[in-house]
Amino acid sequence: MTDVAHDHASSTGISNVKLGMWAFLGSECLLFGGLISTYMLYRGRVSGGPRPSQIFDIPFTSVSSFVLLMSSLTMVLAVSAAHKEDDRKTNLWLTVTALLGATFVGGQVYEFTAFYKEGLGFSTSLFGSSFYTLTGFHGVHVTVGIIMLMSLVGILKRSSVPGKKAEVVEMIGLYWHFVDIVWIIIFTLVYLIPV
Amino acid sequence: MTTNTAETKQEHGMSDAGYIRIAIILAAITGLEVSTYYVDFGVLFLPALLIMMVIKFVMVVSYFMHLKFDNKIFSFLFYAGLVLAVGVYAAFLATFKFFIQ
Amino acid sequence: MAIIERPAPTVPAIVTPTSTYGLLKRPVSTTGWRSWVFTVDHKKLGIMYAATAMFFFIVGGVEALLIRLQLAAPNGKVLNADLYNQMFTMHATTMVFLFVMPMAAGFANYFVPLQIGARDVAFPRLNAFGFWAFLFGGIFLNLAWFLGGAADGGWFMYAPNSGPVFSPSHGVDFWALGLQITGIASLTGAINLIITVLNMRAPGMTLMKMPIFTWMITVVQFLLLFAVPVITVALFLLSFQRNFGAQFFDVAAGADPLLWQHLFWIFGHPEVYILILPSFGIVSEVLPVFSRKPLFGYPFVVFSGAAIGFVGWGVWAHHMFASGLGPVSVAVFSLTTMAIAVPTGVKIINWTLTMWGGKLWFTTAMKFAIGLIVLFTVGGLSGVTHAVAPSDTQQTDTYYIVAHFHYVLFGGAVLGIFSGFYYWWPKVFGKMLNEKIGSWNFWLMVIGLNMTFGPMHILGLQGQPRRMYQWTEARAGEGFFNLAFWNLVASIGSFILSVGILMFLINVVVTARNPKKAPLDPWNARSLEWMTSNPPKEHNFDVIPTVHHLDEFFHQKFEEDEATHTMKQVRTAEEIMAEQERNADKHIHMPSPSYWPIVLAFGLPIITFGLIYSHLISVVGGVIVLFAAYGWALESSTAPDSDFETNTPGTGLDKVGANHD
């Protein structure tokens, strides 16, 4: 922290919003850390309900993980286009990102339904409670991201966004990538590493 | 706050092709990760998965989120939270004897 | 808000909104209640934080008095067991979350921008949102009193006692969801203040030239930033268990109740530093001013504060020594806990050496600061006895613990806050608090708190458990250490303490009625917040100061005499002020008021209310939040230049204002 701002007369010269977003993401690390730790502690406690290895469909989840990973690429392309002030491409990539995100959430809804039919409810076991809480929180984050992306597309079309357009796109991009890296961790720790 | 435009251009110096290259590498690692489900990696299984997870994480953070090119203070804010989270929760799980099951 | 045209800074600026944002045009009132409710001014919000916190302080204080009344004599009949449980739970929750934290937020809001030479905070609307979320969260928490009973599981709400079986009323639901809302307030406040400190400092103010209060507040905000999400997780798990049938703390299903304890204390221990460090910052400002010396070892105070913040993350399990953690965990956390006493001791030494050889001026603010040093040390020493695990096992859940944390929280945090009241009152309200009443205020509080909390050491070591709603004559024991005598002393003490606090409220009224204005620089102070008028103008500084020294204001007033190597006064505060006014900046655009912070915050308790009673209500709350979020996003923080109307008062103002009732 001490190496900041010594060279600058008044401040760091960077955007408040961007600093704020990174501070928020730092804070989110402890939120998801807590949820992931709770899951790790409880993943083996199934109370007679299904075990993780019995219900996880690794090929299916791999595909939806891949979709979310690629949405990070389309997001970064949207940011890149926004910096070049190419509105058409910005809108295009934002929309694609939102669609990929929606595909992921759709996959999650399908997955939850399938698990529920196989006997894993929210109250079935500690595994069930902690699994649905962790992945549900992530899903809510993705959904909020989709809403922001779609709103941004609408706002950009009317070009009534206050402040710098490219920065707004970049901020939502940071949030989106964060949601993606959380899933990178969940995919490995929850799905790929068996109990 | 005003952003120095000249600096900003440089910060986002990566080209779209560069991003696509990163995405291809990420996809390849994901493929490798998924392959551990089908192929037996033996003792390497757990460390390999964790290392690949960390590589993917760092790549997205460094390139897609520009942390590698941006002001160090962003890295400080984010990694302070991340390191604290990993440290505290690892200690938390250790008190439950999680790592010596 | 708005433009300030020289040379008439007192004329209210006029903004005529040209476009709508979401559905509503911007609020424009500069007077009346609207100028407070829709304000984004950090000074107004600071006052609102402090006033609300003071209200909750009184609420929590009345709860404490009821507890002491109940325990004053054997077989207390004031409260029944159930109500007693609610009383101590809400007393602690109120004092921690609704008094000390927001009071510190009030001080931080008001003084951090002034101390770093800024005109406002980084995110003015987020700042306003934080206040409203805190207020609504606090009200929501206390609603439970009227809707079937408040939370009754102790402020740490240990599982499985917090589950629906043992706590069937909605109290715990209100508690968990209410704290979730105040948590959002703390998180947004933390982000706002961190970015303000990182990014808005006046030219020349490097981190090591920042006033110490700002430094301590910065450490606190980092603690909040990283600790709040942990309690958020814990509270979500609890709410999901109670409202949606999750099993997280259901022992029958194989759950581990220690999960809650860990999550709570991973948050809870940084939290105790969140409570105390702002007061450390306040006394570190007060002591040098009234000792006529610079703070001894400024870098040590800074780094010990940062060290406390860092090590504070590695000590949480010392709250759980009696829970069967195992010898390794206990040994590790015992050692880290002893280690954290070191930076705290460094601070005590620095304060003592600041006073050493100084020309001490015993104002009320100084008395409170010295009171903090002495009484916090007492509490700190009993804290070290908890670090020794075998001794802690004896003390766990006794009144000895209650004695300890009241010495550090009342003797530490609260005395620091009162020191801040007396020191900064002339800055905020332009009038000096009465020193004579202040003296009564101080001595009654110190006598009262020692009488209340001192005997609790004895009670605890004699074995009186915490949270016990009655004690009986038969078990009180005999001789000097009998419980009856010391319980009575503590109860009498609590009323003396209350009279002391009443003195402060009387002082506020007496001061408000006194027409005498405070001098510009009543204490011959050292830091930037004193380099402007009392109270400060809306834009804080006519000219943004350029900083060359730690204690910049002092160095503007005093210069070293070459011959004698002593400091001699070269300029007065009035001269500095006059010079600033001559060179005042023109066209200062301050952030404009907004409806959205309060609307957005208002949606939150509606959502949580619906989670308890009917999910339909939650949907309504969600719609309000979404609506406000869009309005917020579409509105720029500062009104566009074209909206600022210069020198044509009256036009359109009344009409626009009337549209928004």
Side-chain angles (χ1 to χ4, degrees):
Chain A
M1 191 154 65
T2 38
D3 59 349
V4 174
H6 282 252
D7 301 330
H8 299 274
S10 62
S11 65
T12 51
I14 28 181
S15 136
N16 281 343
V17 184
K18 196 165 168 185
L19 270 175
M21 180 53 96
W22 276 110
F24 172 69
L25 296 182
S27 171
E28 287 267 281
C29 287
L30 280 116
L31 182 91
F32 278 104
L35 294 167
I36 291 170
S37 306
T38 303
Y39 173 80
M40 295 312 275
L41 185 66
Y42 281 162
R43 61 187 176 157
R45 305 187 190 180
V46 294
S47 312
R51 306 185 62 77
S53 53
Q54 289 169 325
I55 52 168
F56 283 169
D57 182 353
I58 298 296
F60 179 83
T61 312
S62 301
V63 172
S64 67
S65 303
F66 183 76
V67 167
L68 192 65
L69 191 67
M70 286 306 113
S71 78
S72 255
L73 172 65
T74 57
M75 186 71 230
V76 87
L77 293 176
V79 175
S80 171
H83 278 294
K84 289 175 196 146
E85 290 173 7
D86 184 342
D87 284 358
R88 199 186 58 85
K89 266 193 177 167
T90 309
N91 271 337
L92 173 73
W93 288 121
L94 286 176
T95 312
V96 173
T97 308
L99 285 175
L100 289 174
T103 311
F104 174 84
V105 174
Q108 204 166 34
V109 171
Y110 169 80
E111 187 189 41
F112 281 9
T113 319
F115 289 178
Y116 185 75
K117 280 186 189 146
E118 288 174 55
L120 185 72
F122 191 55
S123 312
T124 306
S125 63
L126 284 163
F127 161 60
S129 294
S130 55
F131 171 80
Y132 285 120
T133 303
L134 170 60
T135 50
F137 256 88
H138 181 266
V140 168
H141 272 75
V142 180
T143 311
V144 170
I146 295 170
I147 293 172
M148 291 200 294
L149 287 168
M150 294 316 293
S151 310
L152 189 58
V153 171
I155 292 168
L156 284 176
K157 272 193 180 140
R158 287 194 222 137
S159 66
S160 53
V161 54
K164 290 195 178 66
K165 272 187 206 176
E167 182 168 69
V168 179
V169 179
E170 196 184 336
M171 290 313 106
I172 294 177
L174 286 179
Y175 174 86
W176 190 263
H177 295 310
F178 178 79
V179 173
D180 185 30
I181 57 178
V182 170
W183 188 257
I184 289 176
I185 292 174
I186 292 177
F187 181 54
T188 302
L189 292 187
V190 174
Y191 288 89
L192 292 179
I193 296 178
V195 180
Chain B
M1 285 291 115
T2 51
T3 326
N4 186 326
T5 43
E7 241 177 58
T8 318
K9 289 261 163 57
Q10 265 195 346
E11 277 170 9
H12 305 289
M14 224 167 150
S15 62
D16 288 0
Y19 290 131
I20 292 169
R21 266 200 301 279
I22 299 286
I24 291 170
I25 299 172
L26 286 170
I29 298 175
T30 309
L32 213 56
E33 281 180 335
V34 176
S35 73
T36 62
Y37 180 68
Y38 299 98
V39 186
D40 189 8
F41 275 54
V43 284
L44 283 178
F45 173 73
L46 198 61
L49 267 182
L50 290 178
I51 290 168
M52 286 191 286
M53 175 183 89
V54 172
I55 292 175
K56 280 169 74 181
F57 186 98
V58 172
M59 278 181 80
V60 174
V61 174
S62 304
Y63 295 99
F64 285 177
M65 295 167 93
H66 299 294
L67 216 45
K68 193 171 146 74
F69 313 106
D70 260 351
N71 195 306
K72 276 203 190 94
I73 191 160
F74 299 128
S75 300
F76 167 78
L77 286 171
F78 182 65
Y79 283 118
L82 183 68
V83 169
L84 200 60
V86 171
V88 165
Y89 290 121
F92 154 82
L93 285 172
T95 64
F96 285 105
K97 304 191 172 52
F98 177 80
F99 300 107
I100 47 173
Q101 274 167 353
Chain C
M1 60 173 281
I3 197 168
I4 285 108
E5 280 287 324
R6 290 279 135 198
T10 47
V11 170
I14 292 147
V15 176
T16 310
T18 48
S19 48
T20 51
Y21 307 96
L23 282 179
L24 305 167
K25 285 188 178 178
R26 248 180 223 295
V28 291
S29 307
T30 52
T31 54
W33 62 271
R34 284 193 199 85
S35 72
W36 289 85
V37 170
F38 305 125
T39 189
V40 294
D41 178 358
H42 73 95
K43 295 182 291 300
K44 279 184 177 163
L45 287 165
I47 294 171
M48 284 150 83
Y49 259 117
T52 314
M54 202 66 205
F55 169 76
F56 282 121
F57 182 44
I58 295 165
V59 172
V62 170
E63 286 158 0
L65 285 179
L66 288 170
I67 292 170
R68 276 325 311 172
L69 271 179
Q70 167 80 3
L71 295 180
N75 307 312
K77 296 275 188 300
V78 180
L79 304 166
N80 62 32
D82 185 30
L83 209 52
Y84 184 82
N85 287 350
Q86 298 174 30
M87 212 52 81
F88 69 69
T89 302
M90 290 306 287
H91 162 68
T93 304
T94 305
M95 289 305 195
V96 169
F97 293 99
L98 307 181
F99 164 52
V100 179
M101 283 173 75
M103 189 59 89
F107 276 110
N109 248 301
Y110 202 101
F111 293 109
V112 165
L114 284 166
Q115 285 203 324
I116 61 173
R119 290 208 162 110
D120 212 312
V121 291
F123 304 107
R125 285 181 298 174
L126 205 59
N127 201 14
F129 168 77
F131 166 75
W132 293 110
F134 147 64
L135 175 63
F136 295 145
I139 293 171
F140 184 81
L141 264 170
N142 280 289
L143 268 186
W145 285 112
F146 313 104
L147 295 168
D152 54 2
W155 86 286
F156 35 64
M157 210 55 73
Y158 277 173
N161 193 37
S162 57
V165 179
F166 302 104
S167 197
S169 83
H170 281 310
V172 177
D173 298 323
F174 275 98
W175 182 86
L177 295 166
L179 288 188
Q180 207 72 282
I181 299 175
T182 61
I184 294 171
S186 296
L187 188 66
T188 54
I191 291 175
N192 179 29
L193 284 170
I194 288 172
I195 309 312
T196 304
V197 169
L198 288 181
N199 227 8
M200 318 252 314
R201 277 167 288 138
M205 182 174 280
T206 58
L207 289 177
M208 292 312 281
K209 286 189 185 131
M210 264 182 357
I212 195 78
F213 173 73
T214 298
W215 249 114
M216 292 304 109
I217 290 296
T218 309
V219 173
V220 167
Q221 303 312 316
F222 272 102
L223 288 176
L224 279 170
L225 181 71
F226 296 136
V228 167
V230 184
I231 189 77
T232 303
V233 171
L235 293 171
F236 268 123
L237 300 186
L238 179 60
S239 286
F240 287 176
Q241 159 135 357
R242 290 184 59 97
N243 301 349
F244 303 124
Q247 300 194 323
F248 296 109
F249 310 114
D250 184 353
V251 182
D256 212 323
L258 282 191
L259 170 66
W260 170 269
Q261 291 199 22
H262 275 290
L263 288 176
F264 186 84
W265 289 116
I266 289 174
F267 153 79
H269 205 80
E271 169 73 14
V272 307
Y273 296 110
I274 289 166
L275 298 174
I276 191 65
L277 284 177
S279 288
F280 280 6
I282 292 172
V283 300
S284 303
E285 297 284 342
V286 169
L287 287 165
V289 167
F290 297 112
S291 304
R292 305 265 159 266
K293 274 176 70 191
L295 182 65
F296 182 86
Y298 167 86
F300 284 93
V301 182
V302 169
F303 287 121
S304 64
I308 289 174
F310 186 73
V311 183
W313 285 93
V315 298
W316 79 84
H318 68 211
H319 295 271
M320 303 160 60
F321 280 159
S323 68
L325 284 174
V328 177
S329 300
V330 169
V332 168
F333 282 99
S334 195
L335 285 173
T336 53
T337 305
M338 290 178 199
I340 205 167
V342 175
T344 319
V346 167
K347 281 194 151 52
I348 304 275
I349 289 171
N350 277 292
W351 292 328
T352 315
L353 289 179
T354 301
M355 289 191 288
W356 186 266
K359 286 185 211 133
L360 302 190
W361 180 10
F362 289 100
T363 59
T364 308
M366 183 66 164
K367 286 179 197 157
F368 273 110
I370 297 171
L372 178 144
I373 300 179
V374 175
L375 295 173
F376 181 83
T377 306
V378 174
L381 289 176
S382 62
V384 175
T385 69
H386 306 321
V388 183
S391 132
D392 182 72
T393 316
Q394 299 298 313
Q395 298 154 1
T396 296
D397 274 342
T398 71
Y399 258 79
Y400 189 84
I401 302 282
V402 181
H404 159 70
F405 64 66
H406 279 96
Y407 265 90
V408 289
L409 285 179
F410 211 110
V414 178
L415 290 195
I417 285 167
F418 274 78
S419 178
F421 286 153
Y422 280 88
Y423 177 57
W424 277 316
W425 203 268
K427 172 51 56 190
V428 179
F429 297 106
K431 290 179 182 178
M432 313 277 286
L433 281 172
N434 186 310
E435 284 287 315
K436 204 168 199 176
I437 306 177
S439 206
W440 280 97
N441 180 194
F442 170 74
W443 286 110
L444 284 171
M445 267 174 78
V446 166
I447 293 167
L449 90 87
N450 279 297
M451 268 179 77
T452 312
F453 306 122
M456 289 181 185
H457 291 107
I458 300 169
L459 290 171
L461 292 178
Q462 288 300 98
Q464 178 171 320
R466 282 170 84 171
R467 301 184 287 269
M468 178 191 69
Y469 97 104
Q470 269 183 340
W471 51 275
T472 55
E473 195 73 61
R475 298 177 68 183
E478 284 168 358
F480 185 66
F481 292 118
N482 77 82
L483 301 186
F485 175 68
W486 292 111
N487 268 311
L488 186 62
V489 172
S491 295
I492 295 171
S494 68
F495 280 86
I496 298 178
L497 183 53
S498 309
V499 175
I501 292 161
L502 194 64
M503 284 294 155
F504 174 74
L505 299 177
I506 292 171
N507 202 349
V508 170
V509 176
V510 169
T511 305
R513 290 189 172 178
N514 183 356
K516 194 163 169 266
K517 295 266 182 261
L520 189 59
D521 182 20
W523 314 121
N524 197 0
R526 313 178 68 86
S527 42
L528 279 184
E529 78 268 26
W530 294 98
M531 216 166 85
T532 180
S533 53
N534 296 340
K537 295 164 187 168
E538 190 166 13
H539 53 285
N540 292 354
F541 299 98
D542 286 331
V543 193
I544 296 291
T546 304
V547 178
H548 304 283
H549 301 93
L550 176 67
D551 294 337
E552 174 66 20
F553 184 43
F554 175 80
H555 285 278
Q556 295 218 1
K557 291 184 292 185
F558 291 86
E559 271 170 17
E560 194 179 330
D561 188 26
E562 295 287 325
T564 60
H565 292 287
T566 50
M567 302 302 281
K568 72 166 198 256
Q569 184 149 22
V570 289
R571 286 197 296 175
T572 64
E574 284 77 10
E575 284 164 5
I576 295 170
M577 187 73 212
E579 190 189 315
Q580 283 189 3
E581 290 192 339
R582 274 197 304 280
N583 301 322
D585 290 343
K586 294 189 165 84
H587 303 289
I588 304 166
H589 283 204
M590 296 299 290
S592 310
S594 173
Y595 292 113
W596 304 119
I598 186 172
V599 177
L600 186 57
F602 186 66
L604 299 176
I606 298 182
I607 294 179
T608 52
F609 195 79
L611 287 178
I612 297 174
Y613 291 104
S614 157
H615 292 187
L616 266 179
I617 305 175
S618 292
V619 174
V620 175
V623 170
I624 294 176
V625 166
L626 206 61
F627 171 70
Y630 276 111
W632 185 313
L634 291 171
E635 176 190 78
S636 61
S637 175
T638 307
D641 287 354
S642 56
D643 283 6
F644 288 92
E645 236 181 306
T646 53
N647 301 329
T648 47
T651 44
L653 188 62
D654 300 337
K655 204 180 93 220
V656 173
N659 280 342
H660 304 308
D661 281 349

